[in-house]
Structures are given as structure tokens and as C-alpha cells.
Amino acid sequence: MGDITELIRASNDGDQDALGSLFQLLYADLRVIAHRRMQTNGSVTSLDTTSLLHESYLRLVSGGKLQLNDRKHFFAYAATTMRNIVVDFVRERRSEKRGSDILIVTLNTTIAESASAESDEVLRVQEALEVLGQLDERLVRVVELRYFCGLSETEIADVLELNERTVRRDWEKAKLLLASVLQEK
């Protein structure tokens, strides 16, 4: 834990090498988060776990100076970054469908319809999370950590420094609000 804290402090001071070392030290844990993320939405992208993880690293280091509080904050930030990568990928792919010069030939229309429906769902969930974020940002964090990262209520409580009961209530509230927003669309 001491190494992680030292690397976070150095990273906060602008040391890009420290951020790289932090990423390397926590690589196995980040890989688990990326794998969970790809299990949730892997079929809508051509990304695999390793690609998502490496793209996350590139975004983390190219984003400039991060202000991380601790290990938990680093994981929450990484999880949000991974979600944004998948959403950006889906948006890019959808824009390519609307007039790109790429010739796409689909022999099995069932696969294409399934992928399109899943990518629509990713974007709808992203839009719903933006609406939810306007109401309560903590609910968005709970959804990201539970739905996108696959963390348990205990792990989420630890990351957000809440008790499990609060996390459970927030999760139920978020599900109801998201369902309401998604039904309107």
C-alpha cells in the first residue's frame, strides 16, 4: 500500500513515470475491471480486455495531470475511463455506418441486428446516466462501479466510503430512475 500511496503522490505532482508505474503495479486489478466491462458490452465493440486496458492507460497518461486521492479514487477514475472508451467506440462505429466510405457486407443479418441493438442500448444507458448525473452524481458512481465494473456492494461501499446499506439504497434508487429515463426514450 505504501508504494501505491507514494506513486499517487508523485503522480499528483506531475510525474508521468509514477503514473505509469502505478498502472503497472495495479495492472492485474485493472485487468479484472476491464474484463468485467467487456463481459457487459464486449459484443458491441471489437475491443478485447487487453485493448481496453491499454487504451485506458493511454487516456490516463495523455489526459494531463491527474489529482488522485488514493487507490480507490484511481480505480473509480479508471472505471469511468473504460466506460467512456466503450461509449466513444460505439459512437464512432455508428457514425461510420452513416456515410463512411467503408464497404460493410453482412451475410447473416441476425448478427448485425443484434450488434446494432446492443450498441443502441449502450448509448441509451450513457444518455440515461447523464440525466441521472444531473440529479445525483453519487448514483452514477454506484451504477458505474456495480454495472460496468461488477463490484459488489461491499467493494463499492469501500471505494465510495459509504456503508453497504447506503450503497444498496442508492443502487435501488438508481435502477428505478434509470428505468424511468430509459422508458421515456
Side-chain angles (χ1 to χ4, degrees):
M1 269 314 215
D3 289 342
I4 293 171
T5 304
E6 290 174 26
L7 289 171
I8 287 174
R9 282 190 192 128
S11 174
N12 285 345
D13 292 337
D15 184 350
Q16 289 292 348
D17 292 335
L19 184 59
S21 297
L22 179 64
F23 196 86
Q24 185 176 11
L25 186 63
L26 299 174
Y27 186 86
D29 295 328
L30 290 168
R31 187 165 181 75
V32 169
I33 293 172
H35 182 71
R36 288 177 181 162
R37 182 71 182 113
M38 295 314 298
Q39 284 180 318
T40 305
N41 295 110
S43 61
V44 299
T45 71
S46 61
L47 293 171
D48 61 9
T49 300
T50 303
S51 299
L52 178 60
L53 190 53
H54 292 181
E55 180 65 26
S56 299
Y57 171 75
L58 292 173
R59 287 202 186 178
L60 287 170
V61 296
S62 70
K65 188 175 172 182
L66 291 177
Q67 287 301 312
L68 303 169
N69 300 331
D70 53 23
R71 181 179 193 267
K72 299 172 204 171
H73 189 225
F74 175 78
F75 281 115
Y77 188 81
T80 301
T81 300
M82 288 180 198
R83 177 178 64 108
N84 290 337
I85 289 168
V86 171
V87 169
D88 290 347
F89 188 92
V90 168
R91 284 183 177 149
E92 182 180 320
R93 200 173 95 194
R94 289 187 88 197
S95 70
E96 287 175 356
K97 284 183 177 180
R98 292 191 200 113
S100 177
D101 292 336
I102 298 173
L103 176 63
I104 298 176
V105 177
T106 303
L107 300 177
N108 184 343
T109 59
T110 309
I111 294 171
E113 290 166 4
S114 164
S116 179
E118 290 176 14
S119 65
D120 288 345
E121 180 181 335
V122 169
L123 293 179
R124 287 180 52 217
V125 168
Q126 172 65 18
E127 291 168 2
L129 283 173
E130 289 170 1
V131 171
L132 185 61
Q134 294 170 359
L135 300 173
D136 189 338
E137 190 61 37
R138 189 175 77 195
L139 295 180
V140 174
R141 294 283 166 242
V142 169
V143 171
E144 285 177 345
L145 295 171
R146 175 80 185 250
Y147 180 74
F148 294 110
C149 295
L151 298 183
S152 69
E153 290 172 353
T154 305
E155 293 168 321
I156 295 169
D158 187 44
V159 168
L160 297 179
E161 298 177 348
L162 302 169
N163 65 47
E164 286 181 54
R165 191 171 175 187
T166 301
V167 170
R168 198 171 303 118
R169 279 194 311 262
D170 283 356
W171 174 242
E172 293 301 320
K173 184 177 179 181
K175 286 192 307 187
L176 290 171
L177 290 170
L178 285 173
S180 173
V181 170
L182 288 171
Q183 280 180 340
E184 293 174 7
K185 295 187 180 278

